[in-house]
Amino acid sequence: MKLELGNFYVKDIEFGDNTTYDDGVLTINKEEALEVVFKDKHITEADLRIVKPGDMVRLVPVKEAIEPRFRVGGGPVFPGVTGKLEQAGNGETRCLKDMSVLVVGKHWGGFQDGLIDMGGEGAKYTYFSSLKNVVLVADTDEEFEKREQQKKNHALRWAGMRLAEYLGEAVKDLEPEDKDTYELEPLTKRSEDVSDLPNVAIVMQPQSQMEEKGYNDLNYGWDTNRMLPTLMHPNEILDGAMISGSFMPCSSKWATYDFQNFPLITRLYEEHGKTINFVGVIMSNLNVALEQKERSALFVAQMAKSLGVDAAIVTEEGYGNPDADYIGCIVALEDAGVKTVGVSNEATGRDGGSQPLVTLDPKADALVSTGNVSELIKLPPMDEVIGELEALARDGLSGGWEDDEVLGSSVKEDGSIIMENNAMFCGDQIAGWSPKTMKEY
């Protein structure tokens, strides 16, 4: 499979008469773009805003991030989700880089939603503060889940994907500024020079714990709770096969933007043919019952062994119960003779003194931490809030609270906030581009 991602580097975004891309400037016809949003009758209110790095703007509750794209030759950017089911990862897709579409609730948030500060001290906590962002801030008539802690956010998430596809059409007739080409030959047809290098795979564990549909990550529109570990070409992940779900403490989340740009995958591509033979992606899952966890780990280990994998990276979307899947998978791979490195965040408590993962094993002796979900973050008021600040305290965001006997509410009367890192939108960047570093004391 050969995938060409044609890149257009967005230097500025503005509203205007027509939706166009010219010399780095994306101009958006706001009325036309909102027509795309309102195609879903469940959207009751919607507006578009533009925010840029350094703006003293706080966004909450943030639900999703998507990179605008256009699939050359037609077809949906997200096969099986926004259009018919077809193969992703082959052909040409055009991408608007250095920007994203952010989906923000006008009022109601939930466990899986987060916060972004575009400027000030809080900007360092999330990658999305470094992007130019088109913000869809909207509300729906989904009354059944308005006050539920856990929301599917279906209308808002799908509106964000439609909007991203609409914006991507601005470059459909233009020549990309440059291209990234991703190609792997079939495993049995690689040159001797490549085949003699260490065989490396990445094992991805997307969020898939909810048995009720509508919450989990999607694989070609398929609820990942229903799947068993399967071999995927890395191009499929980079080209819209995977969609973020709506169940995950927010700092641990993989946004759809993360799947589209997954840095661990692109870094392995950079080393392919030089230091490693990149075998591909084993797409696994996260389960609830112990037997299900053990079964998935066995599938992953068998697949890796059959493929001749020498080394693997395992990365999980989440923490807590998923830690058992994560460590179990690492142990199963090690038992199969595969040298394995794990990448995840940790939950060591506000004081940093708790056990970092729910379960551990001596064989999991090469772990990369992307941060502590429980770390307390205090931030001053912002000049402007897009969405509703009170959602952080009121609606059960995983890093916010309405009252604490010591700290009070997460939202103070002056607009300042205190929260756990949990509520920072994709803040731990387990996908591989965390700005955090470790210090040894």
Side-chain angles (χ1 to χ4, degrees), residues 243-304:
I243 298 299
S244 177
S246 190
F247 173 70
M248 177 47 52
C250 202
S251 72
S252 308
K253 184 194 291 269
W254 289 338
T256 297
Y257 184 99
D258 291 320
F259 283 118
Q260 293 173 294
N261 295 276
F262 217 79
L264 286 173
I265 290 177
T266 57
R267 186 71 179 90
L268 289 171
Y269 253 120
E270 288 178 19
E271 293 301 316
H272 177 67
K274 300 175 184 176
T275 61
I276 66 169
N277 179 20
F278 185 17
V279 171
V281 178
I282 299 175
M283 188 63 67
S284 187
N285 51 8
L286 300 169
N287 304 281
V288 176
L290 181 59
E291 181 181 320
Q292 295 169 344
K293 297 174 187 291
E294 292 172 341
R295 183 182 297 111
S296 286
L298 290 175
F299 268 95
V300 169
Q302 177 276 128
M303 203 175 299

Side-chain angles (χ1 to χ4, degrees), residues 33-46 81 136 138-142 144-145 152-163:
L34 285 173
E35 287 178 4
V36 174
V37 170
F38 279 112
K39 284 183 177 180
D40 188 331
K41 64 181 181 180
H42 293 291
I43 303 289
T44 56
E45 299 178 71
V81 179
L136 168 61
D139 199 10
T140 78
D141 66 359
E142 295 166 314
F144 66 93
E145 67 174 21
K152 296 181 181 180
N153 287 322
H154 182 275
L156 295 177
R157 292 160 56 214
W158 262 247
M161 285 186 279
R162 291 196 304 275
L163 179 59

Side-chain angles (χ1 to χ4, degrees), residues 389-406:
L389 184 60
E390 187 55 36
L392 174 65
R394 180 194 64 213
D395 298 337
L397 273 65
S398 50
W401 54 85
E402 196 158 17
D403 190 36
D404 182 281
E405 60 182 18
V406 175

Side-chain angles (χ1 to χ4, degrees), residues 4-9 21-24 70 72 92-96 168-180:
E4 290 185 336
L5 296 180
N7 300 318
F8 298 82
Y9 297 94
Y21 178 87
D22 183 43
D23 196 25
F70 174 78
V72 177
E92 183 179 351
T93 296
R94 293 177 180 167
C95 315
L96 288 168
E169 291 182 2
V171 298
K172 66 180 181 180
D173 297 321
L174 303 179
E175 188 63 29
E177 295 163 40
D178 62 38
K179 291 183 179 181
D180 292 317

Side-chain angles (χ1 to χ4, degrees), residues 124-425:
K124 71 182 183 183
Y125 288 100
T126 174
Y127 177 80
F128 293 95
S129 65
S130 68
L131 302 177
K132 279 79 73 177
N133 296 300
V134 176
V135 182
L136 168 61
V137 53
D139 199 10
T140 78
D141 66 359
E142 295 166 314
E143 298 290 335
F144 66 93
E145 67 174 21
K146 182 170 285 186
R147 290 176 174 79
E148 292 292 324
Q149 186 188 39
Q150 188 63 52
K151 298 174 174 60
K152 296 181 181 180
N153 287 322
H154 182 275
L156 295 177
R157 292 160 56 214
W158 262 247
M161 285 186 279
R162 291 196 304 275
L163 179 59
E165 288 186 326
Y166 166 78
L167 296 177
E169 291 182 2
V171 298
K172 66 180 181 180
D173 297 321
L174 303 179
E175 188 63 29
E177 295 163 40
D178 62 38
K179 291 183 179 181
D180 292 317
T181 301
Y182 298 101
E183 185 174 14
L184 291 177
E185 292 184 341
L187 288 170
T188 58
K189 296 182 179 180
R190 296 183 182 177
S191 68
E192 187 175 335
D193 288 346
V194 173
S195 297
D196 285 344
L197 295 170
N199 298 324
V200 178
I202 180 169
V203 179
M204 295 174 62
Q205 295 180 313
Q207 182 48 239
S208 48
Q209 288 180 287
M210 295 292 280
E211 294 183 351
E212 182 182 343
K213 290 186 177 181
Y215 294 102
N216 297 313
D217 294 356
L218 300 179
N219 186 340
Y220 284 105
W222 187 18
D223 191 307
T224 49
N225 181 263
R226 271 65 176 174
M227 64 176 280
L228 290 169
T230 186
L231 180 66
M232 293 186 70
H233 197 290
N235 290 5
E236 295 178 280
I237 288 85
L238 298 177
D239 195 34
M242 296 295 299
I243 298 299
S244 177
S246 190
F247 173 70
M248 177 47 52
C250 202
S251 72
S252 308
K253 184 194 291 269
W254 289 338
T256 297
Y257 184 99
D258 291 320
F259 283 118
Q260 293 173 294
N261 295 276
F262 217 79
L264 286 173
I265 290 177
T266 57
R267 186 71 179 90
L268 289 171
Y269 253 120
E270 288 178 19
E271 293 301 316
H272 177 67
K274 300 175 184 176
T275 61
I276 66 169
N277 179 20
F278 185 17
V279 171
V281 178
I282 299 175
M283 188 63 67
S284 187
N285 51 8
L286 300 169
N287 304 281
V288 176
L290 181 59
E291 181 181 320
Q292 295 169 344
K293 297 174 187 291
E294 292 172 341
R295 183 182 297 111
S296 286
L298 290 175
F299 268 95
V300 169
Q302 177 276 128
M303 203 175 299
K305 193 170 183 178
S306 297
L307 292 167
V309 173
D310 299 304
I313 298 170
V314 177
T315 183
E316 67 167 331
E317 183 186 9
Y319 69 93
N321 185 292
D323 292 344
D325 302 79
Y326 173 61
I327 295 298
C329 185
I330 291 172
V331 170
L333 286 165
E334 288 282 345
D335 286 344
V338 179
K339 298 297 183 184
T340 307
V341 174
V343 181
S344 73
N345 55 17
E346 56 185 286
T348 52
R350 293 177 181 176
D351 62 357
S354 299
Q355 179 172 303
L357 301 171
V358 167
T359 182
L360 289 167
D361 191 283
K363 293 175 183 176
D365 58 1
L367 300 178
V368 177
S369 170
T370 61
N372 175 17
V373 301
S374 304
E375 178 184 351
L376 282 176
I377 298 173
K378 299 179 182 180
L379 297 172
M382 273 295 200
D383 293 348
E384 182 182 5
V385 173
I386 294 178
E388 189 166 78
L389 184 60
E390 187 55 36
L392 174 65
R394 180 194 64 213
D395 298 337
L397 273 65
S398 50
W401 54 85
E402 196 158 17
D403 190 36
D404 182 281
E405 60 182 18
V406 175
L407 300 173
S409 173
S410 280
V411 178
K412 308 303 180 184
E413 290 185 4
D414 65 353
S416 62
I417 61 173
I418 181 170
M419 66 181 202
E420 292 184 353
N421 173 64
N422 252 325
M424 194 61 69
F425 183 75

